[in-house]
């Protein structure tokens, strides 16, 4: 049996127990997929190395939902603010007219009566 050497650093390769076709270099920790291939020219079996990419420690990406402030489009706070604004504007625009009409209908005092002098 021939001892296999790492093609990049020349260190000894060790068989991975979980994957029999993968060898790991003891020095540089590079992993290689190993297979034997029969040469068409010489008729002998030769070892082929395919470097495996190093694993990147990916973690799951957890999307955190943004805390809702209530001011999103069509949020309840926006709706309440618009209703209140509507009533305030109506009070400013029509309030004096409604108040005068109320006093006329309910017999307002002499100081509030409008008198035409013409």
């Amino acid at each position: 049996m021939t001892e296999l050497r790492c093609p990049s650093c020349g260190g000894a390769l060790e068989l991975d127990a979980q994957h029999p076709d993968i060898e790991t270099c003891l020095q540089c920790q590079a992993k290689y997929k190993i297979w034997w291939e029969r040469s068409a020219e010489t008729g002998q079996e030769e070892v082929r190395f395919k470097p495996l990419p190093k694993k990147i420690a990916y973690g799951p990406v957890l999307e955190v939902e943004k805390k809702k402030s209530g001011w999103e489009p069509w949020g309840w706070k926006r709706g309440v603010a618009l209703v209140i604004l509507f009533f305030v504007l109506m009070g400013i625009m029509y309030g004096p007219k409604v108040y005068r009409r109320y006093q006329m209908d309910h017999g307002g005092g002499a100081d509030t009566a409008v008198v035409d002098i013409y």
Side-chain angles (χ1 to χ4, degrees):
M1 176 110 180
T2 307
E3 182 179 19
L4 297 176
R5 293 278 178 190
C6 177
S8 61
C9 71
L13 292 176
E14 182 179 79
L15 183 65
D16 189 353
Q18 294 177 346
H19 306 284
D21 58 339
I22 295 178
E23 304 257 347
T24 305
C25 177
L26 297 175
Q27 290 181 0
C28 67
Q29 301 301 316
K31 293 188 179 211
Y32 296 96
K33 180 173 174 58
I34 306 292
W35 74 93
W36 294 88
E37 190 174 274
R38 185 170 297 274
S39 174
E41 299 168 357
T42 61
Q44 297 180 353
E45 288 191 346
E46 296 177 354
V47 177
R48 300 288 180 201
F49 297 96
K50 179 182 178 187
L52 297 177
K54 295 189 182 229
K55 289 190 177 183
I56 300 173
Y58 288 112
V61 177
L62 302 175
E63 291 188 22
V64 178
E65 186 176 335
K66 290 173 66 176
K67 183 178 177 184
K68 294 191 176 196
S69 65
W71 289 104
E72 296 82 19
W74 313 111
W76 69 271
K77 289 180 182 177
R78 180 174 290 181
V80 169
L82 289 174
V83 168
I84 291 172
L85 180 65
F86 172 77
F87 283 111
V88 167
L89 290 175
M90 291 297 112
I92 291 171
M93 289 177 13
Y94 297 111
K97 294 177 186 176
V98 171
Y99 183 68
R100 270 184 267 144
R101 178 64 185 235
Y102 174 80
Q103 287 203 342
M104 285 184 350
D105 289 347
H106 292 86
D111 57 342
T112 60
V114 178
V115 178
D116 287 332
I117 304 179
Y118 301 109

